[in-house]
Amino acid sequence: MTLTRYLLSAALLSSLISFTNAATIDIVTYNIEWLGTPGNSDFSGSRSQQINAAASDIINGGGEIYALQEIGGSRTLNDLLSRLNSLDNNNNWSGSVSQPSGSQSLAFVYKTSVVTGVSFQQILTHRSSRDFAGRFPYMMTANVSVGGDNRPLNLINLHLKCCTGGSNSSRRNNAMREVVAELHRNYRTDNMIVLGDLNVASQGGANGEIRDWGIYQDRDNNGLPDYYHAAGSVADIRYNPNNPDTDIDHILISDELRAAWNAVSTSTRNRYLNTTVSDHSPVATRLEVSLFGEATTTPNPTPDPGPSPDPAPSNALSVTQALSQSAGTTMTVVGIIEEAYNDIYALRMHDANNPNTDIIVKLEKSQRNQWSPELNPGVIGNKIEVTGRRDTYTRLPSIESVSQIREVR
């Protein structure tokens, strides 16, 4: 009788554990180190051995969604998926790659039993390729179905510029300020994960360069940081290439996913997984799917809170037209804020119909707090009307003596 009771209890416990596991999803970021080109990596085996090892790492890691960096285009991804589906008898794997012919592409692989309705796109491709080190962010939009819950989820996969030094740090900063502005413009209330090889080599960890990008700010004014650090190192130490538990791979979650992260055990929130193929250990976090979108204590803001901007005046010039005007001409110009210029003192504004044509707007002191992208990255991407005098600033075409700046639609 005692043994029977024990067996029933054990079966019940196993059932409860299975139910608990079924309600969660594991998200992993994994720099897979030149997958498909082992000669460029520290892996000593052949290409097929490298891909086999990577597939084993992914299956053994237990994740449902993997964001991969340094994968060799569509041929390598197809070979990896073929191997995953050969090794894994219980799950079917699918995926997509950002640059089909790239040698260091971004990719996602995922279990099709959990992830459905999937689409992919490169974003911010009109911004500086140099700042993104030629690897524009790769976004995955999907539904995840676990434990009877079906919830939307977006992920942005990143591989930022590497290495220490002011120039490299500046390129990472410029790239991430673009990402942060894009998140604020278009994804304020979405379940969003930002993850990847962030290469925070100068001052790493959750509170180093990542903090300085402004992604933790509360731009929604709902009393919560827009994003939280979910997984990866929280130390501020330099990257050590001899330590696979690196300080540069991270997972960040939007405030809509905070409750889903808090609901799981602390031991599963932030984990390094084993690797047999890379100089980076995979970084994993776990989320409770039923709690997606329930992190905020106040109602989510509308996608664009506040009054809608006025339309641009019909007599306003485009940036292209402004460039043809003579120095000293007073004008009103409409364009899109692209980036900060000369620190807090100016901004670069491009033509609304041609992102390759731009002009510098020199900011007056009273305008800097609101309109400098260095002080307020959320203005990047805004369409604005500027009234001022055509001039030259640091030898570039400019608008100066600005009397008015306002957002328009």
Side-chain angles (χ1 to χ4, degrees), residues 214-398:
I215 196 166
Y216 300 145
Q217 293 179 11
D218 178 17
R219 290 188 178 84
D220 295 337
N221 296 317
N222 65 352
L224 297 169
D226 293 341
Y227 281 78
Y228 292 85
H229 186 266
S233 174
V234 295
D236 292 329
I237 57 176
R238 289 181 182 270
Y239 169 61
N240 180 358
N242 297 315
N243 177 10
D245 293 352
T246 71
D247 195 38
I248 59 182
D249 302 280
H250 296 270
I251 301 175
L252 309 171
I253 57 172
S254 66
D255 59 0
E256 290 78 14
L257 297 172
R258 176 68 171 178
W261 186 81
N262 274 332
V264 303
S265 67
T266 55
S267 63
T268 61
R269 293 178 188 169
N270 186 358
R271 314 187 310 280
Y272 285 108
L273 307 179
N274 292 328
T275 179
T276 60
V277 72
S278 178
D279 58 347
H280 295 237
S281 290
V283 172
T285 195
R286 180 170 294 173
L287 302 172
E288 171 64 56
V289 175
S290 66
L291 296 178
F292 279 20
E294 297 179 12
T296 55
T297 56
T298 57
N300 284 336
T302 59
D304 188 13
S308 177
D310 294 331
S314 59
N315 62 342
L317 302 180
S318 68
V319 170
T320 300
Q321 292 170 325
L323 290 169
S324 68
Q325 301 299 306
S326 302
T329 303
T330 298
M331 65 186 72
T332 297
V333 185
V334 171
I336 309 294
I337 298 177
E338 181 173 341
E339 61 183 358
Y341 183 80
N342 192 21
D343 196 48
I344 66 172
Y345 300 104
L347 61 86
R348 190 188 302 274
M349 178 174 75
H350 67 71
D351 193 296
N353 296 312
N354 185 356
N356 296 317
T357 300
D358 54 49
I359 196 167
I360 304 301
V361 177
K362 184 175 181 290
L363 299 170
E364 300 298 316
K365 186 175 181 179
S366 61
Q367 297 161 348
R368 293 170 191 162
N369 283 339
Q370 181 176 1
W371 295 109
S372 166
E374 185 69 24
L375 298 174
N376 183 15
V379 300
I380 294 174
N382 286 357
K383 189 175 185 179
I384 58 171
E385 171 197 311
V386 178
T387 300
R389 186 187 70 240
R390 178 73 167 80
D391 211 323
T392 301
Y393 182 65
T394 64
R395 300 185 180 181
L396 294 176
S398 67

Side-chain angles (χ1 to χ4, degrees), residues 12 19 26 32 56 107 150 168 197 283 296 310 317 326:
L12 179 59
F19 178 81
D26 281 18
I32 211 157
S56 295
N150 186 293
N168 293 322
D197 180 358
V283 172
T296 55
D310 294 331
L317 302 180
S326 302

Side-chain angles (χ1 to χ4, degrees), residues 167-244:
S167 174
N168 293 322
S169 178
S170 177
R171 289 166 68 179
R172 289 191 292 273
N173 179 70
N174 292 342
M176 280 306 299
R177 286 180 180 269
E178 295 281 7
V179 171
V180 170
E182 176 71 5
L183 292 170
H184 179 61
R185 280 194 302 269
N186 295 315
Y187 305 101
R188 295 185 193 181
T189 61
D190 288 22
N191 296 322
M192 179 68 74
I193 298 176
V194 178
L195 74 173
D197 180 358
L198 304 188
N199 264 320
V200 282
S202 299
Q203 186 186 17
N207 301 308
E209 284 187 66
I210 297 175
R211 174 204 60 211
D212 297 339
W213 297 331
I215 196 166
Y216 300 145
Q217 293 179 11
D218 178 17
R219 290 188 178 84
D220 295 337
N221 296 317
N222 65 352
L224 297 169
D226 293 341
Y227 281 78
Y228 292 85
H229 186 266
S233 174
V234 295
D236 292 329
I237 57 176
R238 289 181 182 270
Y239 169 61
N240 180 358
N242 297 315
N243 177 10

